[in-house]
Amino acid sequence: MGGATGGAPTGGVTTLAASTGGAVPARPVLLTVDDDRTVSRAVARDLRRHYGDRYRVVRAESGPDALAVLRELTARGEMTALLLADHRMPGMTGVEFLEQAMDLVPSAKRVLLTAYADTDTAIRAINDVDLDHYLLKPWDPPEEKLYPVLDELLEQWGRAAPASFEGITLLGHQWSAETQELKEFLARNQVPYRHLQGEGATAVRTAAELTDDALLPATVFPDGTVLSRPSLRDVAERCGLPTSAGSPFYDVVVVGAGPAGLGSAVYAGSEGLRTLLVERTATGGQAGTSSRIENYLGFPRGVSGAELAMRARDQAVKFGVEVLTTAEITEIAPHGDGRVLRFADGSEVTAHAVVLATGVQWSRLPATGAEEFSGRGVYYGADPHEALSCRDEEVYVVGAANSAGQAALHFAKYARRVVMLCRSPDIRRGMSEYLVSRIEASDVIEVRTCTQVVAVEGADHLERLVLSDSSTGGTETVAASRLFVFIGARPLTDWLGDAFSRDDHGFLRTGPALLDGDGRPPAGWPLTRAPYHLECSVPGVFAAGDVRAESVKRVAGAVGEGAMAVTLVHRYLEGTR
């Protein structure tokens, strides 16, 4: 078997030559290296006979070829359990191969196959390359001279081996904003991944030829494909997530896949409307980052925002809804009885009606230095997976609403200490009582009221917070490496044109809120009827959920408005046909 090689990534895609097939197999690898093909086949035959049901046997006929195979296997996240190398090989001896292989697969057991005349070399290799064992040729019968030795070594390896991994490997510095963005994208789209850095990433970076930090962050896929500094769209396409519309026309396009958008999509699809659901990042919206929603109807034990979002997405797809990820709509323009929606990539679709469910995003922290450290210690919102990275650390949470309370309780399962910073004198002003009681009962969570963050400091990442206490007028500097911000939200409506009426905070006005004091429609309204309850100032475009002015900012309320919007879409379509 020849080696696997790959070109150095230059900001795009690199594919490591596929020598092991597509998806990552669950079985660890036993790699044999011998330049004598007859011997090589005999070793592989004996190994497969005894270990073929538990391990995958791979052959190489030279040291350089074997190293190339190891680089490929490592880049794919496959585990190598055993290296069995012949000593007398031209160009690179077995000892030389095992020495270099240690950098790629340090945990693999190393066995040297040698002749009686080379036993002194084999004995020296026990110290030089941490050789686990050497075997003399011939090894017949294998039941006596081969299997007992390898059984013991593989048992030792199995006890210390990590669990197999079959997802994406993410390489990037912990305090990189780009790495953080990729982590959030993969987690929220429920794409299995592992984030390697430091010593744990050395072997994979070497195998994928990503030793230059300028090439990070990077993703290594199970089939060996390497994406250096990829966009979210690059990753989505490589993961098989649809990013472009499959048709030029739809009955209804739903913009935003939070609870309101998912509610609209499910009801529209179930009622026979050809529906397109468009999301910039991941389904679930802001609610999708919630570790546990406990007051949503029908889930007495609670449900995570991610699970609720994926259930709703699967339900929408079941009803024929087409779902796009990393797709951004930049304009909605009238086109006869329809509406043209233009995407950032230059494409466009036409729909009879549109539901805007773009939700809100967290307000930025108004503290000196906060923007500088965004993604490098300062985070807006928190996906549940972030708590795992905070094990035994001290975590600061800014905010006093339900989202902040849910995050604090989730972090408390892993962090050594969680400090909640609240401007108000009492967290009960904006938080549900069931959360307040649990926070007060926690030995891990400390609540500091009347406190604000006025400055964020550090070198390459967050290291200190300057806090202000409004009750005393004093300031305090505390050590901190992670700050999670939940301080209100603003709507995502900047991209909409002037034809869309908004309130002073940017939320979309709909229905009765558009009428003047005499109950008349707004100027420029082209229809004789008044706007429907969720209809925007542009006919045929409806708003649902948090993006709508005066909406109830609750998951149940958003889902309800999403469903109601579809009822109004039907009414609108009946009036235009």
Side-chain angles (χ1 to χ4, degrees):
M1 173 179 175
T5 59
T10 55
V13 179
T14 297
T15 303
L16 303 177
S19 65
T20 57
V24 179
R27 294 177 298 168
V29 170
L30 309 181
L31 177 62
T32 73
V33 192
D34 198 311
D35 65 306
D36 186 324
R37 292 191 176 184
T38 301
V39 175
S40 178
R41 292 192 185 100
V43 174
R45 178 201 62 212
D46 287 343
L47 291 179
R48 289 193 182 100
R49 182 185 303 161
H50 191 67
Y51 301 106
D53 60 334
R54 293 164 288 159
Y55 299 88
R56 187 162 62 89
V57 179
V58 177
R59 291 192 302 123
E61 295 177 0
S62 73
D65 279 355
L67 290 173
V69 171
L70 284 178
R71 292 189 185 95
E72 181 179 335
L73 295 173
T74 304
R76 295 180 181 186
E78 297 194 54
M79 295 187 295
T80 301
L82 176 76
L83 304 173
L84 180 59
D86 182 60
H87 176 55
R88 290 194 176 186
M89 293 187 295
M92 179 183 290
T93 68
V95 172
E96 291 170 339
F97 160 73
L98 292 173
E99 183 177 16
Q100 294 190 39
M102 288 176 65
D103 294 332
L104 292 170
V105 285
S107 65
K109 294 300 180 181
R110 290 173 284 280
V111 179
L112 192 67
L113 191 62
T114 185
Y116 179 79
D118 296 321
T119 54
D120 288 344
T121 300
I123 292 172
R124 287 196 299 272
I126 292 176
N127 294 323
D128 294 342
V129 297
D130 197 18
L131 189 69
D132 292 292
H133 208 281
Y134 67 89
L135 294 170
L136 295 177
K137 298 179 184 178
W139 58 88
D140 290 329
E143 289 78 11
E144 295 180 11
K145 298 184 178 181
L146 180 65
Y147 300 149
V149 172
L150 300 189
D151 283 347
E152 182 178 354
L153 292 177
L154 291 173
E155 183 181 351
Q156 294 173 5
W157 177 85
R159 287 196 297 265
S164 60
F165 179 75
E166 301 183 9
I168 295 172
T169 296
L170 172 62
L171 303 169
H173 195 280
Q174 175 183 355
W175 303 117
S176 161
E178 292 82 3
T179 299
Q180 180 66 23
E181 183 181 39
L182 285 169
K183 286 174 61 179
E184 292 179 358
F185 175 77
L186 293 171
R188 294 191 60 192
N189 283 284
Q190 298 198 354
V191 177
Y193 80 97
R194 60 175 178 174
H195 177 209
L196 296 183
Q197 53 185 331
E199 293 182 3
T202 301
V204 178
R205 289 184 63 176
T206 300
E209 301 186 17
L210 293 166
T211 53
D212 186 349
D213 286 347
L215 298 174
L216 301 181
T219 52
V220 183
F221 289 80
D223 65 355
T225 300
V226 179
L227 300 183
S228 174
R229 301 187 66 84
S231 67
L232 297 185
R233 191 180 183 90
D234 293 335
V235 175
E237 290 175 346
R238 193 67 191 78
C239 290
L241 298 173
T243 59
S244 299
S247 171
F249 182 81
Y250 297 87
D251 290 319
V252 59
V253 173
V254 181
V255 186
L262 288 165
S264 285
V266 167
Y267 280 92
S270 68
E271 294 172 12
L273 296 177
R274 188 171 188 181
T275 307
L276 178 68
L277 176 61
V278 181
E279 174 55 47
R280 294 197 308 170
T281 52
T283 53
Q286 194 179 81
T289 66
S290 177
S291 58
R292 185 153 297 273
I293 302 169
E294 298 190 63
N295 57 357
Y296 187 64
L297 186 67
F299 292 89
R301 295 179 181 85
V303 60
S304 73
E307 181 184 356
L308 185 63
M310 292 309 296
R311 287 187 179 199
R313 184 187 187 281
D314 292 345
Q315 194 173 13
V317 171
K318 183 189 76 170
F319 288 125
V321 174
E322 186 179 338
V323 182
L324 302 186
T325 306
T326 66
E328 182 178 1
I329 294 178
T330 59
E331 183 183 3
I332 299 176
H335 184 72
D337 289 338
R339 299 289 176 261
V340 174
L341 297 95
R342 298 189 173 93
F343 291 85
D345 64 2
S347 62
E348 62 181 41
V349 296
T350 301
H352 282 307
V354 178
V355 177
L356 294 175
T358 50
V360 293
Q361 65 181 12
W362 294 112
S363 298
R364 311 301 283 185
L365 183 67
T368 303
E371 286 303 306
E372 178 184 351
F373 292 101
S374 178
R376 296 189 294 128
V378 176
Y379 308 105
Y380 292 89
D383 286 300
H385 76 279
E386 290 293 344
L388 298 174
S389 304
C390 301
R391 191 178 299 275
D392 299 325
E393 294 185 8
E394 186 169 282
V395 174
Y396 283 81
V397 175
V398 180
N402 279 4
S403 296
Q406 289 165 347
L409 287 167
H410 188 60
F411 281 124
K413 297 177 183 177
Y414 305 92
R416 173 173 50 85
R417 181 168 173 254
V418 178
V419 182
M420 294 189 68
L421 307 175
C422 314
R423 288 190 305 173
S424 65
D426 187 354
I427 60 173
R428 281 182 166 80
R429 289 188 176 183
M431 191 180 299
S432 297
E433 183 61 30
Y434 78 94
L435 292 173
V436 175
S437 60
R438 292 182 188 177
I439 289 171
E440 291 179 340
S442 173
D443 294 331
V444 177
I445 302 175
E446 174 189 349
V447 179
R448 297 185 57 168
T449 57
C450 303
T451 303
Q452 297 184 67
V453 179
V454 295
V456 178
E457 301 174 345
D460 62 336
H461 64 87
L462 170 64
E463 295 176 345
R464 296 174 302 278
L465 297 175
V466 180
L467 308 179
S468 172
D469 188 329
S470 60
S471 65
T472 64
T475 60
E476 176 188 3
T477 299
V478 297
S481 59
R482 297 179 192 270
L483 175 70
F484 296 91
V485 182
F486 303 82
I487 56 169
R490 60 185 183 86
L492 301 172
T493 59
D494 294 344
W495 58 280
L496 292 170
D498 294 338
F500 288 85
S501 177
R502 308 171 181 85
D503 67 13
D504 294 340
H505 301 286
F507 292 92
L508 292 171
R509 291 192 177 97
T510 62
L514 293 171
L515 306 179
D516 62 17
D518 297 324
R520 291 175 299 196
W525 180 257
L527 305 179
T528 56
R529 65 165 176 84
Y532 294 134
H533 183 64
L534 300 181
E535 195 168 19
C536 297
S537 52
V538 175
V541 180
F542 300 84
D546 289 359
V547 72
R548 191 178 70 84
E550 301 179 2
S551 64
V552 178
K553 304 301 189 277
R554 288 290 186 269
V555 173
V559 173
E561 287 196 2
M564 185 191 301
V566 175
T567 299
L568 298 176
V569 165
H570 279 297
R571 189 179 302 175
Y572 170 77
L573 295 179
E574 290 168 359
T576 58
R577 290 174 178 171

